[in-house]
Amino acid sequence: MFARLKRGLDTWWQGRHRPAEQWHLSQRNIYIVPTRAGLFFGVTLMVLLIASINYQLNLGYALTFLLAGSALASMHMTHNSLRGLTLHARPPSPVFAGDRATLEVVVTNPGAARHGLGFGVVVSGAPAQLAFAEIGAAGQSPVAIGVLADKRGLQSLPLLKIETRFPFGLFRAWSLWRPAGQLCVYPRPEQPAAALPAAAATAGGPVPARGAQGGEFDGLRPWRRGDTLRQVAWKKVARSGELISREGRESARQELWLDWAATRQPETEARLSRLAAWVLLAERQGLAYGLRLPGLELPPSSGAPHRHATLSALAAWR
């Protein structure tokens, strides 16, 4: 019962923080409380004060008020370590399910250098694991935060915490921010990968021109996506201004279709996992491949943009 109530409170608390493109730290969104060491320090001050009153110790009064003044000064220093900073997050790179994504937060500091700042992800029911950084004066400093991508899909960026206990550890100041944006998490590839479906030769083969032997090129054709830089006829490009590729008898491209029905898996996640493994395997073999899902078809191609498009389609599949 208590655990369920705590989860409900955590969900309500995190839901109050709406996504924002950037986060400016000010008195309105910085919280500060004494740490455990700060509470013991306060108890010690009370004992010193009572002893000084009972025994009329002038040096005891001086020590008590000196320490109390130092604690108040440290409270302002702890709060000022965060005040005035501006945070914004760069778009994270896609990852596979089960891997850790890297979220880069750029901290803009208009004032003096800031020390002992911790950055981390807020996880319900567990303390945040903080990565500490020093922020230089009058400039921008990037901070990398690890985010566990436990399931596939387009996920909202998690709630982040920035915290400091500088300089004496008597007070803890923090702020919470949910960056606007999404993290694309690809399906986890099947391990080991199943064999690829049979590939077919590309329609419209090479156009014979002059004879060639071995690996020499023997034809020219318009450039197609997936052609390597070695295949581009740069002299022809310089003359005509259009991309033209060389093609030989041995360079006929093979393309294949990665079909939902060809996976022969009973569960949706298993099908997506096998398709993701096929995408990576086709890329490694330099094949032109297309993707067929129920209600969605991506034409055959190759290269990094096509790889991202096919894996993103698998990630967003419902």
PDB file of all heavy atoms in Angstrom, residues 149-173:
ATOM      1  N   ALA A 149      17.868   3.181 -22.398  1.00  0.00           N
ATOM      2  CA  ALA A 149      16.753   2.980 -23.325  1.00  0.00           C
ATOM      3  C   ALA A 149      16.275   1.540 -23.183  1.00  0.00           C
ATOM      4  O   ALA A 149      16.800   0.635 -23.824  1.00  0.00           O
ATOM      5  CB  ALA A 149      17.195   3.269 -24.754  1.00  0.00           C
ATOM      6  N   ASP A 150      15.311   1.313 -22.328  1.00  0.00           N
ATOM      7  CA  ASP A 150      14.907  -0.048 -21.997  1.00  0.00           C
ATOM      8  C   ASP A 150      13.867  -0.633 -22.939  1.00  0.00           C
ATOM      9  O   ASP A 150      13.660  -1.847 -22.949  1.00  0.00           O
ATOM     10  CB  ASP A 150      14.385  -0.110 -20.560  1.00  0.00           C
ATOM     11  CG  ASP A 150      13.267   0.887 -20.305  1.00  0.00           C
ATOM     12  OD1 ASP A 150      13.026   1.741 -21.187  1.00  0.00           O
ATOM     13  OD2 ASP A 150      12.644   0.827 -19.232  1.00  0.00           O
ATOM     14  N   LYS A 151      13.190   0.185 -23.743  1.00  0.00           N
ATOM     15  CA  LYS A 151      12.200  -0.344 -24.669  1.00  0.00           C
ATOM     16  C   LYS A 151      12.207   0.486 -25.942  1.00  0.00           C
ATOM     17  O   LYS A 151      12.592   1.653 -25.941  1.00  0.00           O
ATOM     18  CB  LYS A 151      10.800  -0.343 -24.041  1.00  0.00           C
ATOM     19  CG  LYS A 151      10.301   1.026 -23.597  1.00  0.00           C
ATOM     20  CD  LYS A 151       8.933   0.917 -22.961  1.00  0.00           C
ATOM     21  CE  LYS A 151       8.427   2.298 -22.501  1.00  0.00           C
ATOM     22  NZ  LYS A 151       7.094   2.211 -21.900  1.00  0.00           N
ATOM     23  N   ARG A 152      11.758  -0.155 -27.035  1.00  0.00           N
ATOM     24  CA  ARG A 152      11.805   0.503 -28.335  1.00  0.00           C
ATOM     25  C   ARG A 152      10.700   1.555 -28.446  1.00  0.00           C
ATOM     26  O   ARG A 152       9.744   1.572 -27.671  1.00  0.00           O
ATOM     27  CB  ARG A 152      11.642  -0.530 -29.451  1.00  0.00           C
ATOM     28  CG  ARG A 152      10.246  -1.140 -29.502  1.00  0.00           C
ATOM     29  CD  ARG A 152      10.003  -1.922 -30.776  1.00  0.00           C
ATOM     30  NE  ARG A 152       8.640  -2.467 -30.777  1.00  0.00           N
ATOM     31  CZ  ARG A 152       7.590  -1.829 -31.283  1.00  0.00           C
ATOM     32  NH1 ARG A 152       7.736  -0.622 -31.800  1.00  0.00           N
ATOM     33  NH2 ARG A 152       6.385  -2.381 -31.248  1.00  0.00           N
ATOM     34  N   GLY A 153      10.846   2.421 -29.467  1.00  0.00           N
ATOM     35  CA  GLY A 153       9.836   3.417 -29.753  1.00  0.00           C
ATOM     36  C   GLY A 153      10.380   4.827 -29.646  1.00  0.00           C
ATOM     37  O   GLY A 153      11.559   5.050 -29.354  1.00  0.00           O
ATOM     38  N   LEU A 154       9.508   5.788 -29.890  1.00  0.00           N
ATOM     39  CA  LEU A 154       9.842   7.189 -29.717  1.00  0.00           C
ATOM     40  C   LEU A 154       9.489   7.578 -28.285  1.00  0.00           C
ATOM     41  O   LEU A 154       8.319   7.636 -27.916  1.00  0.00           O
ATOM     42  CB  LEU A 154       9.075   8.058 -30.717  1.00  0.00           C
ATOM     43  CG  LEU A 154       9.431   7.855 -32.190  1.00  0.00           C
ATOM     44  CD1 LEU A 154       8.537   8.696 -33.083  1.00  0.00           C
ATOM     45  CD2 LEU A 154      10.895   8.203 -32.437  1.00  0.00           C
ATOM     46  N   GLN A 155      10.507   7.836 -27.471  1.00  0.00           N
ATOM     47  CA  GLN A 155      10.310   8.097 -26.059  1.00  0.00           C
ATOM     48  C   GLN A 155      10.592   9.559 -25.745  1.00  0.00           C
ATOM     49  O   GLN A 155      11.535  10.145 -26.292  1.00  0.00           O
ATOM     50  CB  GLN A 155      11.226   7.201 -25.232  1.00  0.00           C
ATOM     51  CG  GLN A 155      11.026   5.723 -25.464  1.00  0.00           C
ATOM     52  CD  GLN A 155      11.944   4.871 -24.629  1.00  0.00           C
ATOM     53  OE1 GLN A 155      12.601   5.355 -23.717  1.00  0.00           O
ATOM     54  NE2 GLN A 155      12.007   3.577 -24.932  1.00  0.00           N
ATOM     55  N   SER A 156       9.779  10.120 -24.865  1.00  0.00           N
ATOM     56  CA  SER A 156      10.045  11.475 -24.383  1.00  0.00           C
ATOM     57  C   SER A 156      11.310  11.478 -23.544  1.00  0.00           C
ATOM     58  O   SER A 156      11.630  10.483 -22.880  1.00  0.00           O
ATOM     59  CB  SER A 156       8.863  11.982 -23.552  1.00  0.00           C
ATOM     60  OG  SER A 156       7.678  12.022 -24.335  1.00  0.00           O
ATOM     61  N   LEU A 157      12.039  12.568 -23.580  1.00  0.00           N
ATOM     62  CA  LEU A 157      13.261  12.666 -22.797  1.00  0.00           C
ATOM     63  C   LEU A 157      12.919  12.660 -21.310  1.00  0.00           C
ATOM     64  O   LEU A 157      11.894  13.214 -20.892  1.00  0.00           O
ATOM     65  CB  LEU A 157      14.019  13.939 -23.168  1.00  0.00           C
ATOM     66  CG  LEU A 157      14.531  13.999 -24.611  1.00  0.00           C
ATOM     67  CD1 LEU A 157      15.311  15.283 -24.861  1.00  0.00           C
ATOM     68  CD2 LEU A 157      15.402  12.796 -24.923  1.00  0.00           C
ATOM     69  N   PRO A 158      13.744  12.038 -20.486  1.00  0.00           N
ATOM     70  CA  PRO A 158      13.404  11.875 -19.065  1.00  0.00           C
ATOM     71  C   PRO A 158      13.572  13.163 -18.274  1.00  0.00           C
ATOM     72  O   PRO A 158      14.184  14.148 -18.732  1.00  0.00           O
ATOM     73  CB  PRO A 158      14.408  10.812 -18.601  1.00  0.00           C
ATOM     74  CG  PRO A 158      15.594  11.016 -19.481  1.00  0.00           C
ATOM     75  CD  PRO A 158      15.040  11.402 -20.826  1.00  0.00           C
ATOM     76  N   LEU A 159      13.027  13.145 -17.073  1.00  0.00           N
ATOM     77  CA  LEU A 159      13.177  14.257 -16.143  1.00  0.00           C
ATOM     78  C   LEU A 159      14.616  14.287 -15.626  1.00  0.00           C
ATOM     79  O   LEU A 159      15.147  13.275 -15.189  1.00  0.00           O
ATOM     80  CB  LEU A 159      12.195  14.091 -14.980  1.00  0.00           C
ATOM     81  CG  LEU A 159      12.101  15.246 -13.982  1.00  0.00           C
ATOM     82  CD1 LEU A 159      11.516  16.481 -14.631  1.00  0.00           C
ATOM     83  CD2 LEU A 159      11.232  14.827 -12.789  1.00  0.00           C
ATOM     84  N   LEU A 160      15.242  15.459 -15.703  1.00  0.00           N
ATOM     85  CA  LEU A 160      16.628  15.613 -15.294  1.00  0.00           C
ATOM     86  C   LEU A 160      16.721  16.421 -14.005  1.00  0.00           C
ATOM     87  O   LEU A 160      15.857  17.248 -13.706  1.00  0.00           O
ATOM     88  CB  LEU A 160      17.441  16.323 -16.389  1.00  0.00           C
ATOM     89  CG  LEU A 160      17.478  15.653 -17.764  1.00  0.00           C
ATOM     90  CD1 LEU A 160      18.356  16.459 -18.709  1.00  0.00           C
ATOM     91  CD2 LEU A 160      17.972  14.222 -17.668  1.00  0.00           C
ATOM     92  N   LYS A 161      17.775  16.144 -13.259  1.00  0.00           N
ATOM     93  CA  LYS A 161      18.048  16.885 -12.028  1.00  0.00           C
ATOM     94  C   LYS A 161      19.435  17.502 -12.110  1.00  0.00           C
ATOM     95  O   LYS A 161      20.391  16.847 -12.551  1.00  0.00           O
ATOM     96  CB  LYS A 161      17.976  15.954 -10.811  1.00  0.00           C
ATOM     97  CG  LYS A 161      18.427  16.641  -9.507  1.00  0.00           C
ATOM     98  CD  LYS A 161      18.553  15.649  -8.353  1.00  0.00           C
ATOM     99  CE  LYS A 161      17.202  15.307  -7.796  1.00  0.00           C
ATOM    100  NZ  LYS A 161      17.326  14.517  -6.529  1.00  0.00           N
ATOM    101  N   ILE A 162      19.548  18.754 -11.693  1.00  0.00           N
ATOM    102  CA  ILE A 162      20.838  19.402 -11.510  1.00  0.00           C
ATOM    103  C   ILE A 162      20.951  19.764 -10.040  1.00  0.00           C
ATOM    104  O   ILE A 162      20.029  20.359  -9.460  1.00  0.00           O
ATOM    105  CB  ILE A 162      20.993  20.650 -12.411  1.00  0.00           C
ATOM    106  CG1 ILE A 162      22.301  21.379 -12.083  1.00  0.00           C
ATOM    107  CG2 ILE A 162      19.798  21.569 -12.322  1.00  0.00           C
ATOM    108  CD1 ILE A 162      22.615  22.515 -13.020  1.00  0.00           C
ATOM    109  N   GLU A 163      22.057  19.386  -9.418  1.00  0.00           N
ATOM    110  CA  GLU A 163      22.187  19.488  -7.966  1.00  0.00           C
ATOM    111  C   GLU A 163      23.591  19.927  -7.590  1.00  0.00           C
ATOM    112  O   GLU A 163      24.560  19.651  -8.311  1.00  0.00           O
ATOM    113  CB  GLU A 163      21.877  18.124  -7.336  1.00  0.00           C
ATOM    114  CG  GLU A 163      22.029  18.072  -5.825  1.00  0.00           C
ATOM    115  CD  GLU A 163      21.754  16.688  -5.278  1.00  0.00           C
ATOM    116  OE1 GLU A 163      20.728  16.088  -5.667  1.00  0.00           O
ATOM    117  OE2 GLU A 163      22.560  16.200  -4.462  1.00  0.00           O
ATOM    118  N   THR A 164      23.701  20.592  -6.456  1.00  0.00           N
ATOM    119  CA  THR A 164      25.011  20.967  -5.923  1.00  0.00           C
ATOM    120  C   THR A 164      24.951  21.029  -4.402  1.00  0.00           C
ATOM    121  O   THR A 164      23.881  21.312  -3.833  1.00  0.00           O
ATOM    122  CB  THR A 164      25.476  22.323  -6.482  1.00  0.00           C
ATOM    123  OG1 THR A 164      26.791  22.606  -5.997  1.00  0.00           O
ATOM    124  CG2 THR A 164      24.545  23.445  -6.046  1.00  0.00           C
ATOM    125  N   ARG A 165      26.092  20.743  -3.774  1.00  0.00           N
ATOM    126  CA  ARG A 165      26.259  20.884  -2.326  1.00  0.00           C
ATOM    127  C   ARG A 165      27.482  21.740  -2.019  1.00  0.00           C
ATOM    128  O   ARG A 165      27.978  21.729  -0.886  1.00  0.00           O
ATOM    129  CB  ARG A 165      26.402  19.517  -1.667  1.00  0.00           C
ATOM    130  CG  ARG A 165      25.223  18.598  -1.948  1.00  0.00           C
ATOM    131  CD  ARG A 165      25.276  17.326  -1.140  1.00  0.00           C
ATOM    132  NE  ARG A 165      24.157  16.448  -1.492  1.00  0.00           N
ATOM    133  CZ  ARG A 165      23.755  15.423  -0.764  1.00  0.00           C
ATOM    134  NH1 ARG A 165      24.393  15.120   0.360  1.00  0.00           N
ATOM    135  NH2 ARG A 165      22.740  14.678  -1.143  1.00  0.00           N
ATOM    136  N   PHE A 166      27.947  22.432  -3.027  1.00  0.00           N
ATOM    137  CA  PHE A 166      29.101  23.301  -2.869  1.00  0.00           C
ATOM    138  C   PHE A 166      28.723  24.488  -1.976  1.00  0.00           C
ATOM    139  O   PHE A 166      27.614  25.018  -2.074  1.00  0.00           O
ATOM    140  CB  PHE A 166      29.543  23.786  -4.256  1.00  0.00           C
ATOM    141  CG  PHE A 166      30.725  24.702  -4.261  1.00  0.00           C
ATOM    142  CD1 PHE A 166      32.007  24.192  -4.226  1.00  0.00           C
ATOM    143  CD2 PHE A 166      30.546  26.074  -4.297  1.00  0.00           C
ATOM    144  CE1 PHE A 166      33.097  25.029  -4.241  1.00  0.00           C
ATOM    145  CE2 PHE A 166      31.627  26.922  -4.314  1.00  0.00           C
ATOM    146  CZ  PHE A 166      32.912  26.406  -4.278  1.00  0.00           C
ATOM    147  N   PRO A 167      29.584  24.975  -1.039  1.00  0.00           N
ATOM    148  CA  PRO A 167      30.984  24.566  -0.882  1.00  0.00           C
ATOM    149  C   PRO A 167      31.245  23.577   0.270  1.00  0.00           C
ATOM    150  O   PRO A 167      32.231  22.860   0.244  1.00  0.00           O
ATOM    151  CB  PRO A 167      31.674  25.882  -0.579  1.00  0.00           C
ATOM    152  CG  PRO A 167      30.644  26.662   0.189  1.00  0.00           C
ATOM    153  CD  PRO A 167      29.310  26.257  -0.371  1.00  0.00           C
ATOM    154  N   PHE A 168      30.388  23.569   1.322  1.00  0.00           N
ATOM    155  CA  PHE A 168      30.702  22.803   2.531  1.00  0.00           C
ATOM    156  C   PHE A 168      29.867  21.548   2.689  1.00  0.00           C
ATOM    157  O   PHE A 168      30.087  20.775   3.621  1.00  0.00           O
ATOM    158  CB  PHE A 168      30.526  23.679   3.784  1.00  0.00           C
ATOM    159  CG  PHE A 168      31.393  24.901   3.798  1.00  0.00           C
ATOM    160  CD1 PHE A 168      30.886  26.121   4.228  1.00  0.00           C
ATOM    161  CD2 PHE A 168      32.716  24.835   3.397  1.00  0.00           C
ATOM    162  CE1 PHE A 168      31.688  27.250   4.240  1.00  0.00           C
ATOM    163  CE2 PHE A 168      33.516  25.958   3.412  1.00  0.00           C
ATOM    164  CZ  PHE A 168      33.011  27.174   3.829  1.00  0.00           C
ATOM    165  N   GLY A 169      28.878  21.339   1.844  1.00  0.00           N
ATOM    166  CA  GLY A 169      28.019  20.173   1.960  1.00  0.00           C
ATOM    167  C   GLY A 169      26.966  20.291   3.045  1.00  0.00           C
ATOM    168  O   GLY A 169      26.346  19.283   3.406  1.00  0.00           O
ATOM    169  N   LEU A 170      26.743  21.504   3.564  1.00  0.00           N
ATOM    170  CA  LEU A 170      25.731  21.680   4.603  1.00  0.00           C
ATOM    171  C   LEU A 170      24.329  21.824   4.030  1.00  0.00           C
ATOM    172  O   LEU A 170      23.339  21.544   4.715  1.00  0.00           O
ATOM    173  CB  LEU A 170      26.070  22.915   5.452  1.00  0.00           C
ATOM    174  CG  LEU A 170      27.416  22.890   6.178  1.00  0.00           C
ATOM    175  CD1 LEU A 170      27.619  24.192   6.947  1.00  0.00           C
ATOM    176  CD2 LEU A 170      27.505  21.691   7.103  1.00  0.00           C
ATOM    177  N   PHE A 171      24.227  22.261   2.775  1.00  0.00           N
ATOM    178  CA  PHE A 171      22.934  22.456   2.114  1.00  0.00           C
ATOM    179  C   PHE A 171      22.976  21.805   0.736  1.00  0.00           C
ATOM    180  O   PHE A 171      24.034  21.705   0.105  1.00  0.00           O
ATOM    181  CB  PHE A 171      22.602  23.949   1.976  1.00  0.00           C
ATOM    182  CG  PHE A 171      22.398  24.650   3.293  1.00  0.00           C
ATOM    183  CD1 PHE A 171      23.469  25.231   3.957  1.00  0.00           C
ATOM    184  CD2 PHE A 171      21.142  24.701   3.872  1.00  0.00           C
ATOM    185  CE1 PHE A 171      23.289  25.862   5.172  1.00  0.00           C
ATOM    186  CE2 PHE A 171      20.950  25.336   5.088  1.00  0.00           C
ATOM    187  CZ  PHE A 171      22.029  25.916   5.744  1.00  0.00           C
ATOM    188  N   ARG A 172      21.808  21.380   0.328  1.00  0.00           N
ATOM    189  CA  ARG A 172      21.654  20.772  -0.999  1.00  0.00           C
ATOM    190  C   ARG A 172      20.658  21.595  -1.792  1.00  0.00           C
ATOM    191  O   ARG A 172      19.493  21.720  -1.398  1.00  0.00           O
ATOM    192  CB  ARG A 172      21.174  19.330  -0.872  1.00  0.00           C
ATOM    193  CG  ARG A 172      20.937  18.629  -2.209  1.00  0.00           C
ATOM    194  CD  ARG A 172      20.653  17.139  -1.985  1.00  0.00           C
ATOM    195  NE  ARG A 172      19.386  16.929  -1.298  1.00  0.00           N
ATOM    196  CZ  ARG A 172      18.239  16.683  -1.913  1.00  0.00           C
ATOM    197  NH1 ARG A 172      18.187  16.639  -3.237  1.00  0.00           N
ATOM    198  NH2 ARG A 172      17.144  16.467  -1.215  1.00  0.00           N
ATOM    199  N   ALA A 173      21.111  22.135  -2.932  1.00  0.00           N
ATOM    200  CA  ALA A 173      20.245  22.893  -3.832  1.00  0.00           C
ATOM    201  C   ALA A 173      20.067  22.104  -5.120  1.00  0.00           C
ATOM    202  O   ALA A 173      21.029  21.517  -5.637  1.00  0.00           O
ATOM    203  CB  ALA A 173      20.839  24.268  -4.121  1.00  0.00           C
TER     204      ALA A 173
END
